[in-house]
Each structure stands twice: as structure tokens, then as C-alpha cells.
Amino acid sequence: MPHSERENQLSRLARLQGSDPGVFVLAVHSFAEAYMRSVCVPDNPAYDTFYAYLDAFRSDLVRRNGDEPHAQRYAVLGLMRRAHALTNDVRHRFVSLDTEMARAATQHLLQFCLIAGIESDELQTVESYLDVWKERRTVSQLAHELTETGYRLHVAQAESRALTERVTELEGIRERFEQLSREHTDLSRRIADLEQRTSGKDAKIDSLRSERAKLTEELRSLRRRQGELDDAQAYVDALSQISIYTRTRLDYERTIVRLTAEQKQVLQQISLDHDFLVKGAAGTGKTLVLLKAIEAAKGQGELDLPEIQGSVALLTYTNTLVKYDRYLSSIMLKDRLGEGDRIATADQFLLERLQEIVPGARIAFKRDELEALLPQKLPPGFRANDLLAELEQVIWARRATREQYVDKMMDRPGMKKAVGRNGRAAVWEAAEAFVEAMERERLYARGYAAVRVIGAVNAAGAVPAREAGTTPAATGATEASGPSEAAGPTTFDYIFIDEAQDLPAIVLRALKACARRCVLLAGDADQSIYQPGFTFRQAGIDIQGRTRILKTNFRNSVQIHEKAEAFRRTVPGLDNENQPEAFRDGPQPEVFQTADSASLAALLLSRLRIFTETLGYERDNLCILVPTRTEYDLVRAQLDPAGYSLAQIRDADFSFQENRAVRISTLHSAKGLDFPVVLLFLPQAPFVGADLAPETTDRMQRNLLYVAATRAMDHLNIFTLDPPPDAATADLVACFRGSAQ
């Protein structure tokens, strides 16, 4: 195709933007087909169809570039294959398409030209008009479109499980129809060849004609059955049109790093001279704001923040979230982070500081390691687990003194049983003996390690002195310190802390001690899944007057957000300051229930196939969330035979940059992450620990389910038993089915 002709075609496409959406989508596909016809030929020239040229074009690209056939960059070809059926409806039945499909077609055109190597100034014009569809819609038109789509989805979802079976059948019919159509074409060609060489009265020709007649009848039968599945087709069409932006990794990445106006306003209010808290419910983009603050402060972003001259540490709770933050920072910050900067978990950061003052020190996270160091005689009524929980969640978490804990009988929020004054005195004595054993073995509980780091930083004078305290952890710290402690642990100019509400107060206090200038935090008490009774004041962090609340949920669709907020209102102690609003429409969440786990897993596979094979989502845009790792084998047993590989987010070699595998994670490890499609698989109740009071356990379970449900950007499917395994999951089902009171 001559260059001038292609320029003219692109110019025509640019002029069509803002016109009838269906005509524009049809024009985009016509442009793509014309280009493919000019550069490649199908393996079988008899298959003169758009789909045949798509396959030939992909094969040609693979040969030239040496890629895998399903390489990420070719995903747009699969999306165009899915969308082409809509253009046939425009061409043959003159149906109308909504403006979201026109926006999607614009994105498809740009990505198609990118992989085809088509360069033109007209493409910039096309891209600049990407929002023209939105701008040209009136409020009444928008309301009508959403009402129409919402109505079709509502009707279709009256029985989600039965509808899933009908969609699966519809896909099977389509595959069979395509196969038989190819066979029918081959037979017709063979018959025509034989007719030219014979008189037309040949036994071989008669046999082929009979075979073709059978194929014709089967094709008619399939077409009739396909017409009987019009509700399934309407359901697929509605899902396709209402969830258009995150089906490919490129679109997903663009979505998760796009700032809202509200986030920009909060960023402009951040001061790098004082502690600062960005607060918000799930989906408001707290992590993004932290990363954008680093980006801006490093002189890379668009916002006017003074450039950071010192070092930066970005810390969060889990290893998974560290990988995710690195993934986001690789998109946003590129090479701006220097050698002196650090992205790590708070625990890894704490261990590194501890080892600087106590070489060879370790932090024990397994109970049995710590239990071996406990005194043989435990306080009356306490088991080893009870004592460790009392130290970690009460005494060290709140940096309590003996006067506060024993004499003044301080509150112990969230703990299962009451402890009198004599019992507390015995606990205190056991704690002091425990500290001596930890110092001797250089094996530390996390809370004790945090106080050790605080003491070392203060002793070195790296920051203004803070109160030393007289907790059991401080006892013996000075005596155990050697020459290496005089220099103190490494400190950073700025420490950014993500998901701060899940870190014990004493750990946050230690991180604060390691910040020479300030800490910038992101947190939400309503998402706390580890720590009851959390406050930043306990951590010695002064954010009075320097807290900004994000109230726009940019992650979740309106439909997911509203139902998740309804469930959040069942959680005791709701933070009334956090009342976010969503703005992006999407498909309704769906709930699936069966009587047993095996059939529930089979249903999960059926839904996964719909998202990948029918709607065209890349596999790495789907995540299955499970209560514990024990469900991994149950899910894998269903997915492996179907050809779906699983990537466990907690695996050491897992990377967010990889694709072609469905992600799977526990509910806990999904904290802070985003996925276009979330399949929430709940054959049992979430586990939050055995040391908490029943009411605290229930609240933490609800927080965990809320966090899990709000990981979904576009689609949320919930799978659980009938009846649900616990009260929290039962309320989740009620809220997402719309039957909550």
C-alpha cells in the first residue's frame, strides 16, 4: 500500500472520530484488513476472511521478530478478533455501538499501527481525539447507554451459574461452527476441482456432496442453537462493552499510574519538612501518591516539589507488595532511584538496621524459635503462645513501661482474656528473662528488635533524642551494646511507608527514628488485617494538621465500590472519615455458590475461561484469591488439565512483569495490589489468628474480605459454599447479591 494512500486513510479515520461509533469501529477494522491484505497471504487462500488475515499477520510478525505467537505485544490482535463480530452486526444489521467501543477501537488502532510499524503524523491526531467520544456524549445519552447495559446485565445475572454454562456452550458452538465452516469450504473446493476434471457424475463427487450436505445441516443446527442462546450472547456483549480498558497489560499499566485531580491536589499539599499521612479507603490510590511524591521530589514528575538531595527508603508490609511497588516504580521512576535508596519490607529494613548494631542478629517470625527462649516457668494461666502475643501485641507494640502495664493496668485492646495485677507482674518478670535469653542468642522478637534500633539511633545522636522508655526490651540493651553500636544504624533522609496501619506501633516508631527529616505514610485503619487498636500517636508520629484524605476510588468500578462499601458498613468501628466515591462504571459483581469445594473449583474454571477466551483478558490480568495456601492444590487440580498455569505471587521468583499465567494469592498477600479481574475463592473462612477475642476475630475477617474484594478493578466474581462457611462471608454474599439490610 503506497504511503500516501495510508496517510489518506488515517486522515479519514481521524475525521470520523466523534461521528457514529459503529461506523467508526467498522472503519478501523476496514483499515486494518486493508493493511493486512497488502502485506500477507493466509496459509489457505480460500479462507478470504478478516480472521484468516489476522492469523496470517500474526504468523508473519512472529517470523520476522522471533517472538512467541502469544507475545504480549500481539494481544491487540486477539482483542480485534473478539470485536470484529460487532462490526459484522453494524455491516449486516446496522446495529448501533456505544461510545466506549469507539474509544476501544481507537486504542486498538494505535496498538495495531505500533506492531505493524506504521508511522504517521495522523496517528497523533487520532490519539489526541481519544476523549472526543466522551466529550460529545450528552448526560442523557450516557445515562441511556449505562441503563441499557446495566439492564441487560441485571437480567442476565438472574441466575449466574446457569448463564455461565450457557456462555460455555455458546463458545463451544462457535469453535465447532468455525471448524465445520473450514471443512465445508475445503469440500466445496474439492468438489469444484473434481467437477472440472469429470463429467460431474462421479461416485467420488457424490460421496463428497453427501458429506457436504451433512456438514451443511450440522451448521444450520448449530446456527439455530446459537440463536437460542441469545441471552448468553447479550451477556457477553454487555461485558465486552462495559469493561474495555484493562484487557491488556499496556492498558492496565496506563490505568494504575494515572493520577486523579484529587490525588494531584493532595500531592501539592505534601511538605517534605514534616511527617505526612495520606489516608484513604481501598482503591483511592495511596500507594500511587507515595510513588508520585518520590517521582516529583526526584525532579521527574510534573508537580512542583523541591528535589530530594538525600536518600529515600520506600517500605511496606509484605514481600509481595515490595515486588509490586518495584513494578510500579519501574514504570514511573525508571532510573531515578539511586544507590543510596531502598525499596524493602519494613521487617527487612528493621533487620538490616539491627544487624548494623548487633552483627549476626536475626529476627524470629516463627513461634517455635521464640518459644525455645521463654522461661520454663510461665505466668499462671499463660501458654507460650499467650505470652508471646501479650508481649508483641500489648507491651512491645505500645512500648509500655512497668508502671503503665502493671501499676496503672493499661487497656489491652483486642486481647482474648483479662489479666489481673498479679498476673501482669508475673508477665513482666517473664518478659525480662525472655529479653536476657534473646540478647544471649542474638535472636530477637520483632517488637524487641524495634526498641533496640530506637535505642541505638538515639544513643548515636543521629536524630534528636527521644524518650528511652523502661520497657523490658530496653532492659539490658545498654549492657549488651558493644563498640559497633556507637556509630548507630544507617538512617535515611526520607522514609515512605505504605500500608502503615498494618505495622505495629513500635516498628513504626523504629522507622521514624531512622528518618533524618520526615516520614510520609499511607494508611487506612479500615483495611487493617493484622493489628487491632492501631493509632499513629502510639508510634510517635506527629501528623496533626498534616493528614489528607483521598475520597475518590479510582481503582474499583461503581458497581464493585458500592457493594464493597455496603459490606464495610458491617465492620464494627468504621472510620467515618473514609467515605470514598467511585466514578467509573463497570459490570456488576457476581456471586456463585455450590454445596462442595470441588464443584466450586470447577465453576471457577468455567468463569476463568469466559474471561480469557470470550472476553479476551490476558491471563496475567486475572488473580484468584484464596483464604490460605491449602487451596492452591484444589485450584491447580482444576486448572492444570485445562492448560492454565498458575503463578503464585508469594514465590521468590514471581515477577509482575511476566504474563501468560493466571496469578494466585492468599487474601493476606493481595493487600495493596490491583487486578482487572479478581476471582475470590472462599471454600472456607479467612484465617486471622487464634490469639484474638471472638469479636476482634470477626472484625479482622471482615477487614480481610473487604480488602480482597476491593482488589478488583473491573470484574469481581465471588465463589463460596451454600451455606457460607462463616458469618463474615455470609454478610459478604448478602451485600454483593444486594440482599443486605
Side-chain angles (χ1 to χ4, degrees), residues 311 340 349 352-353 356-357 457 487-492 495 513-516:
S311 53
F349 183 88
E352 291 168 0
R353 306 290 77 77
E356 289 175 334
I357 59 176
V457 172
T490 301
T491 56
F492 289 72
I495 295 183
C514 293
R516 290 192 290 269

Side-chain angles (χ1 to χ4, degrees), residues 268-569:
Q268 289 167 342
Q269 296 173 8
I270 289 178
S271 168
L272 297 177
D273 297 323
H274 304 282
D275 297 344
F276 197 94
L277 170 64
V278 179
K279 185 177 177 182
T284 52
K286 301 179 294 296
T287 300
L288 178 60
V289 169
L290 285 190
L291 289 170
K292 285 290 185 180
I294 298 175
E295 178 187 59
K298 286 283 188 178
Q300 184 176 348
E302 300 177 359
L303 302 179
D304 185 19
L305 284 177
E307 184 172 351
I308 290 180
Q309 299 298 324
S311 53
V312 168
L314 174 60
L315 310 177
T316 190
Y317 191 86
T318 65
N319 285 310
T320 300
L321 199 48
V322 167
K323 291 182 180 180
Y324 191 62
D325 286 346
R326 285 176 179 160
Y327 166 57
L328 293 182
S329 65
S330 70
I331 300 171
M332 297 163 49
L333 300 177
K334 300 181 177 66
D335 298 324
R336 297 294 296 181
L337 292 180
E339 292 183 1
D341 301 323
R342 188 81 171 93
I343 300 179
T345 66
D347 288 334
Q348 179 61 33
F349 183 88
L350 181 66
L351 176 60
E352 291 168 0
R353 306 290 77 77
L354 178 64
Q355 289 175 338
E356 289 175 334
I357 59 176
V358 184
R362 293 184 297 127
I363 297 178
F365 294 98
K366 294 182 178 179
R367 287 290 178 92
D368 55 354
E369 290 186 291
L370 292 174
E371 288 176 3
L373 302 179
L374 290 174
Q376 291 185 350
K377 185 178 179 181
L378 297 177
F382 275 80
R383 298 169 301 174
N385 277 348
D386 299 331
L387 179 57
L388 289 172
E390 189 76 8
L391 294 173
E392 288 281 12
Q393 299 180 30
V394 178
I395 296 178
W396 291 332
R398 291 161 177 77
R399 209 182 183 200
T401 63
R402 190 183 196 284
E403 179 184 10
Q404 293 168 332
Y405 180 73
V406 179
D407 300 336
K408 293 186 177 180
M409 297 287 289
M410 60 178 277
D411 290 337
R412 303 162 53 253
M415 302 310 290
K416 185 180 297 185
K417 60 183 179 181
V419 183
R421 192 180 306 276
N422 291 338
R424 293 192 183 203
V427 167
W428 196 267
E429 291 178 7
E432 290 181 330
F434 183 38
V435 163
E436 292 180 3
M438 286 190 292
E439 290 287 1
R440 182 176 62 252
E441 299 296 327
R442 299 194 178 193
L443 179 64
Y444 302 92
R446 181 170 61 168
Y448 175 76
V451 178
R452 283 289 266 120
V453 169
I454 294 171
V457 172
N458 289 340
V463 293
R466 295 169 173 82
E467 70 279 8
T470 55
T471 69
T475 304
T478 301
E479 298 172 4
S481 62
S484 62
E485 188 168 342
T490 301
T491 56
F492 289 72
D493 290 287
Y494 303 93
I495 295 183
F496 293 75
I497 307 173
D498 196 10
E499 303 293 353
Q501 77 280 347
D502 285 330
L503 294 172
I506 190 60
V507 172
L508 279 177
R509 186 180 286 270
L511 302 182
K512 166 66 176 175
C514 293
R516 290 192 290 269
R517 299 186 184 179
C518 68
V519 293
L520 279 77
L521 311 101
D524 171 16
D526 287 335
Q527 291 189 70
S528 178
I529 59 176
Y530 293 101
Q531 183 182 203
F534 173 89
T535 67
F536 289 108
R537 184 181 299 275
Q538 295 168 354
I541 295 174
D542 181 12
I543 52 174
Q544 186 173 1
R546 291 186 293 277
T547 298
R548 298 295 181 270
I549 302 175
L550 294 170
K551 294 187 177 181
T552 301
N553 181 347
F554 82 105
R555 175 197 299 147
N556 308 130
S557 67
V558 171
Q559 288 73 14
I560 293 173
H561 168 78
E562 289 180 347
K563 294 181 182 296
E565 289 303 299
F567 177 68
R568 189 167 74 104
R569 287 190 287 272

